[in-house]
């Protein structure tokens, strides 16, 4: 039943009056009753994860979590697409080092808005690292590559800014973020976190990928509070105004 909701329904809170597949129906416990028309006894059968797709087709939605522990430089973000919400990873890796070679190469079929977000993220990350570790010359002397899988899917929008900054700082500090974390939020050059859209869809996508902790902009608190309780259940949600708050949530944990 849980797999049916996760893989075939975009909305996890079904509307009142909807027909819901229960565990009793899934195990076939109600299939031996005699039909009124023929008097025949229906054949008993079992539906489980191994044969679910035989009855209702291939999954429409699938969990996109590919790491048990996100490696250094990788952070999970949340996106809003025409199909609803989805999770996506921001990956940053080191290319080469040399005095004054600091720079950022961007791939992943990103639109103009998202490319600008990456440039802003690089600037903000450099400023934060300079404030926290003045002796750290990583950004000044390192050529980096930032990528957003899947490369064949066009992507755009400003809400990945905070995820990009966190990915860059993870690489610079050589520290992974906590494994059950996802985030979304537009960031200004001064580190302010701005509102985003698709809170409901992004929350459902996070739950589908077994995320336990979500970071949203403070400006979206009301949007989250208005969600159905079963959508919010089991989540630890933090609302932030400044990137500094995200830094503490992402890196201020014990291994």
């Amino acid at each position: 039943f849980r797999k049916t909701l996760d893989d075939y329904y975009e909305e996890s809170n079904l509307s009142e009056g909807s027909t819901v597949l229960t565990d009793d129906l899934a195990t076939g416990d109600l299939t031996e009753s005699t039909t009124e028309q023929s008097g025949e006894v229906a054949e008993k059968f079992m539906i489980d994860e191994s044969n679910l797709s035989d009855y209702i087709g291939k999954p429409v939605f699938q969990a996109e979590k590919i790491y048990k522990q996100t490696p250094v430089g990788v952070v999970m973000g949340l996106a809003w697409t025409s199909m609803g919400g989805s999770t996506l990873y921001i990956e940053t890796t080191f290319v080469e080092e040399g005095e004054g070679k600091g720079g950022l190469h961007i791939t992943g079929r990103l639109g103009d808005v998202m490319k600008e977000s990456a440039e802003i993220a690089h600037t903000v990350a450099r400023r934060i690292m300079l404030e926290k570790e003045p002796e750290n010359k990583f950004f000044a002397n390192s050529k980096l590559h930032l990528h957003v899988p899947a490369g064949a899917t066009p992507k755009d929008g400003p809400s990945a800014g905070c995820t990009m900054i966190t990915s860059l700082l993870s690489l610079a500090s050589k520290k992974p973020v906590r494994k059950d974390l996802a985030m979304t939020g537009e960031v200004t050059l001064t580190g302010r976190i701005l509102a985003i859209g698709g809170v409901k869809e992004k929350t459902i996508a996070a739950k589908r990928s077994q995320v336990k902790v979500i970071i949203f902009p403070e400006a979206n608190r009301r949007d989250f509070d208005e969600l159905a309780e079963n959508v919010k259940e089991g989540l630890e949600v933090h609302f932030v105004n400044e990137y500094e708050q995200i830094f503490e949530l992402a890196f201020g944990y014990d291994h």
Side-chain angles (χ1 to χ4, degrees):
F1 180 53
R2 182 71 258 169
K3 183 174 178 61
T4 306
L5 287 181
D6 288 344
D7 292 357
Y8 294 88
Y9 289 91
E10 174 59 25
E11 306 296 342
S12 67
N13 55 322
L14 299 175
S15 61
E16 184 177 355
S18 297
T19 300
V20 178
L21 178 65
T22 65
D23 290 336
D24 287 340
L25 286 172
T27 57
D29 289 348
L30 304 183
T31 60
E32 289 192 353
S33 59
T34 303
T35 60
E36 293 181 4
Q37 292 83 359
S38 65
E40 297 178 354
V41 177
E43 180 184 355
K44 185 173 182 177
F45 61 93
M46 173 76 73
I47 300 176
D48 57 23
E49 289 191 19
S50 66
N51 64 358
L52 181 62
S53 61
D54 295 336
Y55 292 92
I56 57 178
K58 294 181 179 181
V60 178
F61 303 99
Q62 296 188 15
E64 296 159 312
K65 188 171 185 177
I66 60 177
Y67 299 106
K68 287 186 176 181
Q69 168 64 62
T70 48
V72 167
V74 179
V75 183
M76 180 185 284
L78 298 170
W80 187 18
T81 70
S82 59
M83 289 291 290
S86 67
T87 55
L88 78 167
Y89 287 97
I90 305 294
E91 304 175 335
T92 307
T93 190
F94 172 80
V95 178
E96 63 176 328
E97 183 178 19
E99 187 172 354
K101 282 194 173 183
L104 183 66
H105 178 57
I106 307 166
T107 57
R109 288 199 69 186
L110 309 186
D112 291 340
V113 174
M114 208 163 180
K115 287 178 181 177
E116 285 191 356
S117 290
E119 294 173 3
I120 292 170
H122 191 222
T123 298
V124 174
R126 292 184 68 159
R127 175 180 59 78
I128 291 172
M129 184 56 64
L130 185 62
E131 292 173 355
K132 293 185 177 296
E133 300 180 22
E135 72 287 351
N136 189 326
K137 304 300 181 184
F138 178 81
F139 285 117
N141 300 327
S142 300
K143 184 177 181 180
L144 308 177
H145 184 167
L146 185 148
H147 179 63
V148 186
T153 304
K155 311 167 193 73
D156 206 4
S159 64
C162 66
T163 316
M164 291 176 172
I165 295 173
T166 307
S167 173
L168 289 160
L169 289 174
S170 171
L171 188 66
S173 61
K174 298 181 173 61
K175 184 174 184 180
V177 300
R178 56 184 300 174
K179 63 182 180 181
D180 54 357
L181 174 70
M183 63 184 70
T184 179
E186 182 179 359
V187 184
T188 71
L189 270 174
T190 58
R192 295 284 295 178
I193 307 299
L194 305 182
I196 48 86
V199 169
K200 180 180 180 179
E201 293 81 1
K202 291 178 178 181
T203 302
I204 293 171
K207 293 191 71 172
R208 184 180 294 121
S209 292
Q210 292 82 52
V211 169
K212 301 299 182 186
V213 182
I214 302 178
I215 299 175
F216 280 129
E218 176 64 42
N220 292 109
R221 182 186 290 271
R222 180 177 178 180
D223 299 323
F224 182 82
D225 288 343
E226 291 176 349
L227 299 181
E229 289 302 318
N230 63 317
V231 176
K232 298 185 287 185
E233 183 181 6
L235 292 173
E236 176 186 333
V237 180
H238 298 269
F239 300 95
V240 299
N241 284 314
E242 303 280 350
Y243 183 79
E244 186 66 30
Q245 296 168 273
I246 296 178
F247 185 90
E248 293 302 322
L249 290 166
F251 302 109
Y253 66 96
D254 295 325
H255 286 284

